[in-house]
Amino acid sequence: MATCTVALTAIDSSSRQSLEYSSANQSPESDDEAPRMSLLRKLAVIIQLSGVNFASSAVNGLVVVGLPTITADLKLDPSLAFWPTSVSSLANASTILLAGSVADSIGPRPVNIAGGVVTGAFILAAGACKTGPQLIVMRALQGIGYAMHLVSSVAIVTHTLPRGRPRNFAFSCLGLSQPLGFSFGLVLGGILQDLIGWRAAWYIYGGLTLALSVVAAWALPNFQNEGTFKGTMRNLKVRVDWVGALLASIFMTLLSYLFAIRDPKSIVFICLIAMSLPLFVGWVHRQVKLGKPALIPNALWKDTAFSSICGTVALSFGVTTCMELFASLFFQEVQHLSPLQTGLRIMPSLLVGVALNVTTGLFVHRVPALWIVTVSSIICSVAPLLMAVIKVQSPYWANAFIAQVLAPMSTDVLFTVGLIIISDNFPDNTQALAGAVFNTASQLGQALTLGIMQIVSTLVTKDYSDKILPMARLEGLRASFWTMFGFMMLCTLWGAIGLRNTGRVGLKRD
């Protein structure tokens, strides 16, 4: 709390200084709103935005640590065993671009409040589910609500805090809340699951999210693009690229779902994917040519820093998510540890995540982005490599502990660096869409990487079906860890090439 107060005091000073400049792309509320907000209100905004991230990520931790128990209790079909983990990311990736466009057109405040209410309500509903399919549906709806929160959070930060250290710090808080929440979900979920069952923690985090939505109603500032009902409807009609958002959502939904199914009908999805992508590209080109709203102008992808950071974010976030899930499965299904013991073994990533997010936000403007991204990716790649060669009886401190320490290195750094680079490529009046693009990359990367790892693990486990189940499962996990290592090497190469001409980011503009 003391750190936040000191940083926000600096924000007040920087906010006054930011009034001295303006740019063609800057939205008027960016300058007008920040000086009028008190220190307490700014602190409440950051806590609220980070708090919903914390609670949603904690629920992801609950799913990871409690997946074996939940699937058994709800009698979830084995073919759907991974859906409680992946369906939220799939729904999030499918709706986040549309949510970003809507937030830019009607204002991020109502979208953020609505997103918090939807997320909290369906976390509570998931905790009350009686069947596996019900849980999958509730997790999908939770992902839609969280998409609304994510994109509006980025817009709120960029409109209320000036570029430079204050905004970098706020982005770091948003990034910090996710690994922090996930780790708390692992630990609290493990403790409560052993004591009173897996549902209790879901009720806690659902209630916390709804409480934070009440805080948002007081703390979040009003923006100039918020107006009357008639004006809101007009903005939705004129400023949102509905066709582009629909085509993008169809493409991402089909692509994510493709990796979650394995049957002869997959060829249908492949054909639909092959059709939807060129349709989206062609539609956006038409919109730009006619001077109409375009979801993501094609010219943006010619910026190597922008396109490479999207790719590295997707790979890094996907590998980190898979490391968390597959390490948990190794501890529980191979080493036969309890959920609580599993949660404690994944805890080191919490401490590393806290340290990385704080230091990245404070010093990202001092080091070239190329070195930040490539070095962190190389270090992170060691984590799946250690898990790929681990043995059943290996002491925790030999491989698994070091892997947990190194696993968040890339993702937690990229959260701040990626948000800065992507938001700087969008005008200030489309910052929610900028957040949507960033989170689309991360969520889609998580869904696709998780789907690939599931396929690899399942196929290799079947090949070793002549062994006893824990050993066959270990071989499947090993293959997945090797695949993750390859993905991180690709992430390192992609970042090194794409960011080679990128200097320092997150600098204050005078």
Side-chain angles (χ1 to χ4, degrees):
M1 183 68 73
T3 303
C4 287
T5 303
V6 171
L8 286 171
T9 302
I11 289 173
D12 280 331
S13 175
S14 298
S15 297
R16 289 190 292 271
Q17 296 173 7
S18 69
L19 290 173
E20 299 176 0
Y21 82 93
S22 62
S23 63
N25 286 334
Q26 190 173 26
S27 60
E29 60 268 26
S30 181
D31 283 340
D32 294 341
E33 201 59 55
R36 293 203 298 264
M37 292 179 64
S38 66
L39 178 63
L40 175 63
R41 196 174 174 193
K42 289 177 181 177
L43 180 61
V45 167
I46 293 180
I47 291 175
Q48 186 273 332
L49 297 178
S50 302
V52 176
N53 279 356
F54 175 90
S56 296
S57 297
V59 173
N60 293 334
L62 297 180
V63 176
V64 168
V65 76
L67 189 59
T69 302
I70 293 172
T71 54
D73 183 41
L74 300 181
K75 297 179 175 60
L76 187 64
D77 189 273
S79 63
L80 302 175
F82 284 103
W83 273 92
T85 305
S86 59
V87 70
S88 179
S89 295
L90 190 155
N92 191 296
S94 301
T95 57
I96 199 166
L97 287 172
L98 177 60
S101 295
V102 171
D104 283 327
S105 65
I106 69 174
R109 184 177 185 273
V111 174
N112 188 277
I113 295 174
V117 171
V118 171
T119 302
F122 287 111
I123 291 175
L124 291 175
C129 286
K130 301 299 181 183
T131 67
Q134 287 178 358
L135 176 64
I136 292 172
V137 172
M138 296 303 105
R139 285 282 289 159
L141 294 173
Q142 177 194 333
I144 295 173
Y146 190 42
M148 298 165 66
H149 167 79
L150 282 174
V151 297
S152 54
S153 296
V154 175
I156 290 168
V157 168
T158 55
H159 285 322
T160 56
L161 301 177
R163 285 181 173 87
R165 197 169 184 177
R167 188 179 294 182
N168 298 345
F169 177 80
F171 281 151
S172 292
C173 288
L174 295 181
L176 170 63
S177 60
Q178 296 192 13
L180 191 66
F182 184 86
S183 299
F184 267 83
L186 288 175
V187 176
L188 183 61
I191 294 174
L192 293 182
Q193 184 171 304
D194 286 349
L195 294 177
I196 56 178
W198 63 270
R199 299 177 186 272
W202 292 71
Y203 298 143
I204 292 173
Y205 289 119
L208 173 62
T209 304
L210 292 179
L212 289 169
S213 299
V214 176
V215 174
W218 164 74
L220 297 183
N222 293 308
F223 297 97
Q224 291 186 5
N225 53 344
E226 297 177 30
T228 63
F229 177 79
K230 184 177 180 180
T232 298
M233 292 298 101
R234 181 179 180 279
N235 285 341
L236 287 175
K237 179 180 179 181
V238 175
R239 297 181 58 184
V240 178
D241 181 9
W242 290 100
V243 175
L246 177 62
L247 291 173
S249 296
I250 291 174
F251 170 74
M252 291 184 293
T253 300
L254 294 174
L255 189 61
S256 300
Y257 187 67
L258 176 65
F259 287 92
I261 62 171
R262 291 179 293 275
D263 61 49
K265 296 180 182 178
S266 297
I267 187 63
V268 177
F269 291 96
I270 295 174
C271 294
L272 291 174
I273 290 168
M275 293 172 55
S276 59
L277 182 58
L279 282 175
F280 172 75
V281 173
W283 173 263
V284 171
H285 175 74
R286 171 191 178 276
Q287 291 293 95
V288 172
K289 189 174 182 180
L290 296 177
K292 295 183 178 180
L295 193 67
I296 306 176
N298 294 329
L300 272 180
W301 301 108
K302 297 179 181 179
D303 186 315
T304 56
F306 174 81
S307 56
S308 64
I309 205 68
C310 287
T312 53
V313 162
L315 289 173
S316 178
F317 274 62
V319 169
T320 299
T321 300
C322 292
M323 274 293 298
E324 293 162 348
L325 175 59
F326 283 75
S328 174
L329 294 175
F330 171 79
F331 293 136
Q332 294 188 70
E333 297 186 356
V334 177
Q335 293 191 329
H336 303 293
L337 300 176
S338 69
L340 175 58
Q341 292 174 316
T342 297
L344 292 175
R345 280 162 172 75
I346 300 178
M347 273 293 290
S349 63
L350 163 63
L351 301 177
V352 175
V354 170
L356 282 174
N357 278 282
V358 172
T359 55
T360 303
L362 295 177
F363 301 107
V364 65
H365 59 291
R366 299 178 182 271
V367 183
L370 170 65
W371 292 107
I372 296 176
V373 173
T374 54
V375 172
S376 63
S377 296
I378 291 172
I379 295 174
C380 180
S381 67
V382 179
L385 180 61
L386 289 173
M387 294 301 296
V389 299
I390 199 170
K391 298 180 180 179
V392 177
Q393 301 302 326
S394 293
Y396 171 70
W397 305 105
N399 284 50
F401 170 74
I402 300 175
Q404 290 302 312
V405 169
L406 300 181
M409 286 287 182
S410 178
T411 297
D412 290 321
V413 168
L414 272 174
F415 191 96
T416 302
V417 176
L419 267 179
I420 292 171
I421 292 177
I422 291 176
S423 63
D424 282 350
N425 275 274
F426 283 79
D428 279 359
N429 61 350
T430 58
Q431 286 299 297
L433 184 58
V437 171
F438 174 84
N439 285 286
T440 295
S442 62
Q443 295 293 330
L444 188 58
Q446 290 174 351
L448 296 183
T449 306
L450 183 60
I452 293 172
M453 299 308 159
Q454 291 172 8
I455 294 172
V456 171
S457 178
T458 301
L459 293 178
V460 174
T461 300
K462 287 182 178 179
D463 289 341
Y464 286 86
S465 57
D466 55 321
K467 294 186 176 182
I468 58 175
L469 183 58
M471 296 307 298
R473 189 72 173 122
L474 175 61
E475 295 299 332
L477 293 175
R478 283 188 197 278
S480 297
F481 287 127
W482 278 114
T483 307
M484 294 178 212
F485 172 72
F487 274 30
M488 285 310 304
M489 289 290 95
L490 176 59
C491 179
T492 303
L493 182 62
W494 199 340
I497 295 175
L499 300 176
R500 65 187 183 279
N501 296 323
T502 303
R504 293 180 294 166
V505 299
L507 296 172
K508 180 181 177 181
R509 295 185 182 179
D510 298 320

